[in-house]
Every structure is written in C-alpha cells, then in structure tokens.
Amino acid sequence: METSYIDSFVAIAECGSMAEASRRLNLTPTALAQRIHVLERDFSTRLIVRSGRTVRLTESGARLLARARQFQQEVRELHAATLGEGMVGGLRLGAISTAATGLLPPMLSALVERHPGVDAYIEVGVSRDLYHQVLHDKLDAAVMVAPPFAIPKSLTWRTLREEPLIVLAPRSLAGRDPLQLLAEMPLIRYDRRNWGGSPADQFLQQHGIQPKQRFELDALDGIVALVGCGLGVSLVPDWSRAAPLPPGVVGIAVGGESPKRRIGMLWPTQSPYGRAFEDLLAATGNGGDRRSA
C-alpha cells in the first residue's frame, strides 16, 4: 500500500519546515515539494503556504492533517492485523536524550532481531513533549521520565529503571559531605522546569538548601562537562550512561529516601503494537512495573 505522499504531508506539518521534513524522510526538497504538488492537484486545493524557511497549513491543509493522522493509524493497524502483531515500516519512537544513548540502543537491537522489517523514526526530545506526542498519536511509544501526574487509562506505562540522586563533583571533592557541597559550592542545576529535574529540586527544598546557582540546563552530558571544568557541583539522577563518568568527575550518593527519577516506556493502550512492545521489554529484561491508569 503506497501511503508515502500522505506521510510526507504529515511530516511537513509536524516539522513546520520543508528542509527538516526532507532530512527526516531522507528525500530531497524537490522530491518532497513534488509530492505536495501532487496532493494539491488531487485534492484541488492549496495545502501549505511557504513563509521564508517555514511553512504553515492552509485551512484545507489543517482539515486534511486531522484525517491524515487517523489514516496513518488505520494503516498501521492493518499492517499489525495482517502480520500477526509484527512491526513494519513507519514505527515512530520517542526518547529523552539520556535514553537515546543509554537504554534505547539495546532495545533497538532486540527490536531489529525480532522484527527485521522494522523502519523506525526516532524523535529525541524532553519528556513533557514526548508525552503529548504519544497522547495525540504523533508517536507510537516513548522512553521518557514518568509524568508527575496520574497516567490516563488510554495510555500504558512500564517502568524500566529508577534513578536515585547523586551529587556530581570534581574528583578533588570526593571525600566531602554531599549536602555540604550542595550548600557551599556553586550549583549547576538540572533544569527544574522539566520532569527529570524536579526530583533534585524537591530534594533541595526538603533539606532546606538554598544553593548558589551558577548555571541551569537540561543536558546531563553538558552538566558533566561543566563540573569537570571545576565550575561547580550538580544534583542529578544516576542515569543510564553509554560511558563512565570522566576521570575528573565523581558521583556521590546522597543516600536516604531521596526522590528518584523513574524512566519508562509509554504507549497507547489500544496500540496495535502493544503486545509487541510487551514482548520486546520482556526480551530485554525490562519486565518492571506496568500501569495503564
């Protein structure tokens, strides 16, 4: 079944840019523009309007987008029904950046081994955005931080790991008390606006620590680099890393019942790939907590 023209239109709408959609689909901008021209000719209406490097949908394009996403879902369900829950082209997966380099690669290896015909697009983003993309059927599943609210029954959650807090510090400070370090040293804060940074913010408030904040960012690898330069300390989850910490940086456990960052996989409960996701997690040893509400 040839659905690539509809897929191209949806990609342009989601990216807001012909150039970005071209990179995502591995097509030249000319080929992508030709597909949209064919759709506009077939539907006898203008679907997108270019404005510099960006594009916006016309009223007709916005109406088509809603139906096009529904059409994509129905096509995936047809594939799943005819191929016994197998995963074939068009799978859309999301991941936070630490999962993309830590948890996700072995999961993708197992995915390819079990479903050789899979063709997946990987969206790397922050958890709150990935959550809404799964909720609104823009992604089939996401590996992300657990939401700070009850998960609706329309979604299924499986916890993959819980990450206790550690203090990242220059190796010269390895013997110091972690709470003293947080109170006395400049703090490189893990972005508290995002779900992954909220456990660290809770910990500081619980212990009455008012840190001397120097930087705030949502990039754990970047935080490690700044700590390695001697610019301060940081309070972060002990995340799944693709490589050990650099020689000049140590991770000091804070101990006690500190808040933890929960990482898991989220997908629509009625997804045609639900059983395949369950089998995949079991095959990779990720058979933890499962919640659909």
Side-chain angles (χ1 to χ4, degrees):
M1 183 183 299
E2 179 55 60
T3 62
S4 59
Y5 283 31
I6 291 294
D7 293 339
S8 297
F9 168 72
V10 173
I12 292 171
E14 292 179 349
C15 293
S17 161
M18 294 288 286
E20 179 60 29
S22 297
R23 286 191 290 270
R24 175 187 292 193
L25 298 172
N26 196 27
L27 290 171
T28 65
T30 300
L32 191 57
Q34 181 61 28
R35 288 185 175 186
I36 298 304
H37 176 72
V38 170
L39 283 178
E40 291 179 330
R41 183 188 63 199
D42 290 346
F43 288 114
S44 301
T45 187
R46 191 82 175 271
L47 299 176
I48 66 170
V49 176
R50 297 196 189 198
S51 178
R53 296 184 178 181
T54 63
V55 298
R56 62 176 179 83
L57 298 182
T58 63
E59 185 176 343
S60 296
R63 287 196 295 266
L64 175 61
L65 179 61
R67 299 298 296 270
R69 286 175 173 155
Q70 181 181 350
F71 173 74
Q72 287 180 316
Q73 176 65 24
E74 291 171 350
V75 169
R76 288 193 295 276
E77 290 176 359
L78 283 173
H79 279 301
T82 56
L83 297 174
E85 298 281 350
M87 293 186 185
V88 292
L91 190 66
R92 305 160 302 169
L93 299 176
I96 57 175
S97 58
T98 53
T101 57
L103 286 170
L104 196 59
M107 293 175 65
L108 293 178
S109 295
L111 178 66
V112 170
E113 181 178 350
R114 296 170 72 84
H115 305 279
V118 72
D119 173 16
Y121 170 75
I122 313 298
E123 174 87 17
V124 178
V126 297
S127 294
R128 65 171 179 267
D129 292 341
L130 297 176
Y131 172 84
H132 288 289
Q133 287 178 284
V134 173
L135 184 65
H136 296 294
D137 194 38
K138 295 181 181 180
L139 290 173
D140 295 305
V143 180
M144 50 178 275
V145 177
F149 48 78
I151 298 172
K153 293 182 178 180
S154 60
L155 300 175
T156 291
W157 170 265
R158 174 73 64 83
T159 298
L160 304 180
R161 60 181 275 132
E162 291 189 341
E163 300 172 338
L165 294 174
I166 58 173
V167 173
L168 293 179
R171 184 164 294 277
S172 61
L173 302 176
R176 296 279 302 277
D177 178 83
L179 297 184
Q180 279 189 321
L181 290 176
L182 293 171
E184 298 173 3
M185 299 294 295
L187 180 70
I188 303 167
R189 190 191 289 270
Y190 187 26
D191 191 346
R192 69 194 116 170
R193 296 171 300 175
N194 289 333
W195 296 349
S198 61
D201 193 50
Q202 292 174 31
F203 181 88
L204 293 171
Q205 292 183 34
Q206 288 170 4
H207 289 79
I209 297 174
Q210 296 182 339
K212 303 170 184 176
Q213 181 171 312
R214 175 166 280 172
F215 304 113
E216 183 168 6
L217 65 158
D218 181 34
L220 289 171
D221 289 339
I223 290 173
V224 170
L226 294 176
V227 172
C229 291
L231 294 173
V233 300
S234 188
L235 181 63
V236 298
D238 191 6
W239 74 102
S240 175
R241 295 180 287 275
L245 290 172
V249 177
V250 294
I252 307 170
V254 298
E257 293 297 322
S258 66
K260 295 180 174 64
R261 184 177 81 158
R262 285 195 302 130
I263 303 296
M265 190 168 178
L266 184 78
W267 66 85
T269 300
Q270 299 301 320
S271 169
Y273 302 125
R275 186 185 305 171
F277 289 144
E278 295 278 7
D279 292 343
L280 173 64
L281 295 182
T284 54
N286 293 303
D289 171 50
R290 179 183 186 275
R291 292 192 300 154
S292 58

